[in-house]
Amino acid sequence: MALFRQMKFKPSVELTVTSRIIAALSEEAPACAFMIVKSPEREAAFDFSLPTDYLLSHRLYQTTDTPPLPAELLNDDNELVSLRSLFSYYPQRKLILLKDRSHGALLDAQIADFPDSVKYYRWGSHQYDCDIQMLVRERGEYILAYLYDIQREAQNYPETTFQSAAIAGDSAIKTGHMMCNGNPATADFLSTVNDALRKLYHQLVFLDAHLKFNDPSAHDALRLGLKKLQQL
């Protein structure tokens, strides 16, 4: 909203599920989706803005009802070597996933290599609250989630303790973007968006919008991530 206020633009917004976004953007009428994670497939089909938002990257979450990750699956930085290594070690366990959601190129590529037997797909909205709910209900042993979502939802499960691990090679900061279908109108729109974003990165309202919804333990990393955006 800070971006649109700066642009003096009032969008017409339609709430829809992730699986319908691609279909909506395949129409000829100019259209964009907000806060979309890039993937090679999406970049080949659609146009993207500069980052509109950013969070600490996905981590692998489990509850303490599942034993901790064994040391042989972790590197010297205490990161999970790869998702592939985890499900080769535990082929009977499951990763809960939302159909058609991207976690970025690195994690998407690893997930694509899994056998279907370790994937538990759900349908619905793009939010992570249902992933967390299903994890607590033991529909699977693991989810990929943002720290923000876990901290937001943990209060709903006071009897549950979550634990997590970073995944080696995945960037510390995950960015969301505006993704638009390709036509002259959206090309002009994205040019205006990018000009506004470069200014917005240097305004306190942009940083505050991210700090407000994240635990203070994440604030230093978020400030560091903003410095990288300011160089774009």
Side-chain angles (χ1 to χ4, degrees), residues 17 31 57 71 113 117 138 141 152 155 161 172 174:
V17 296
S57 194
D113 282 348
S117 59
E138 300 182 346
E141 286 76 22
R152 173 174 54 81
Q155 59 186 338
T161 302
K174 191 65 62 74

Side-chain angles (χ1 to χ4, degrees), residues 83-153:
L83 293 175
R84 296 186 188 96
S85 66
L86 173 63
F87 290 102
S88 294
Y89 196 93
Y90 292 121
Q92 76 281 11
R93 294 185 182 177
K94 291 186 181 295
L95 177 66
I96 299 167
L97 298 163
L98 173 63
K99 193 70 174 176
D100 296 324
R101 179 172 57 201
S102 174
H103 299 89
L106 177 89
L107 299 184
D108 286 352
Q110 294 187 23
I111 291 169
D113 282 348
F114 295 167
D116 289 341
S117 59
V118 304
K119 303 173 188 176
Y120 182 95
Y121 278 115
R122 71 174 183 85
W123 297 83
S125 74
H126 67 283
Q127 299 297 325
Y128 287 85
D129 48 0
C130 289
D131 291 21
I132 298 167
Q133 182 183 77
M134 288 189 172
L135 179 66
V136 173
R137 292 180 177 179
E138 300 182 346
R139 300 290 179 87
E141 286 76 22
Y142 305 102
I143 61 172
L144 294 167
Y146 294 114
L147 172 63
Y148 159 71
D149 291 290
I150 294 293
Q151 291 176 334
R152 173 174 54 81
E153 289 295 313

Side-chain angles (χ1 to χ4, degrees), residues 10-213:
K10 187 174 182 179
S12 174
V13 179
E14 177 184 349
L15 182 64
T16 188
V17 296
T18 304
S19 58
R20 294 178 184 168
I21 289 176
I22 300 301
L25 295 190
S26 298
E27 302 291 333
E28 292 186 5
C32 300
F34 308 142
M35 297 187 289
I36 302 296
V37 175
K38 287 184 178 181
S39 70
E41 294 77 14
R42 290 173 177 175
E43 288 190 86
F46 302 102
D47 297 328
F48 282 81
S49 71
L50 292 174
T52 55
D53 57 280
Y54 67 108
L55 287 169
L56 299 187
S57 194
H58 294 94
R59 295 175 67 91
L60 182 79
Y61 280 90
Q62 63 183 77
T63 71
T64 50
D65 291 333
T66 298
L69 299 177
E72 54 263 44
L73 296 184
L74 305 177
N75 63 19
D76 292 340
D77 295 321
N78 217 34
E79 300 171 323
L80 177 65
V81 172
S82 71
L83 293 175
R84 296 186 188 96
S85 66
L86 173 63
F87 290 102
S88 294
Y89 196 93
Y90 292 121
Q92 76 281 11
R93 294 185 182 177
K94 291 186 181 295
L95 177 66
I96 299 167
L97 298 163
L98 173 63
K99 193 70 174 176
D100 296 324
R101 179 172 57 201
S102 174
H103 299 89
L106 177 89
L107 299 184
D108 286 352
Q110 294 187 23
I111 291 169
D113 282 348
F114 295 167
D116 289 341
S117 59
V118 304
K119 303 173 188 176
Y120 182 95
Y121 278 115
R122 71 174 183 85
W123 297 83
S125 74
H126 67 283
Q127 299 297 325
Y128 287 85
D129 48 0
C130 289
D131 291 21
I132 298 167
Q133 182 183 77
M134 288 189 172
L135 179 66
V136 173
R137 292 180 177 179
E138 300 182 346
R139 300 290 179 87
E141 286 76 22
Y142 305 102
I143 61 172
L144 294 167
Y146 294 114
L147 172 63
Y148 159 71
D149 291 290
I150 294 293
Q151 291 176 334
R152 173 174 54 81
E153 289 295 313
Q155 59 186 338
N156 296 323
Y157 307 102
E159 304 301 319
T160 300
T161 302
F162 299 93
Q163 55 189 353
S164 69
I167 301 164
D170 201 27
S171 62
I173 297 292
K174 191 65 62 74
T175 56
H177 304 256
M178 202 172 292
M179 182 175 77
C180 302
N181 54 5
N183 61 52
T186 52
D188 290 344
F189 177 69
L190 284 177
S191 178
T192 302
V193 166
N194 288 341
D195 288 343
L197 283 169
R198 290 188 178 96
K199 297 175 183 177
L200 192 60
Y201 296 154
H202 295 273
Q203 297 177 16
L204 188 59
V205 64
F206 186 76
L207 176 62
D208 284 348
H210 290 81
L211 299 184
K212 180 179 179 181
F213 297 103

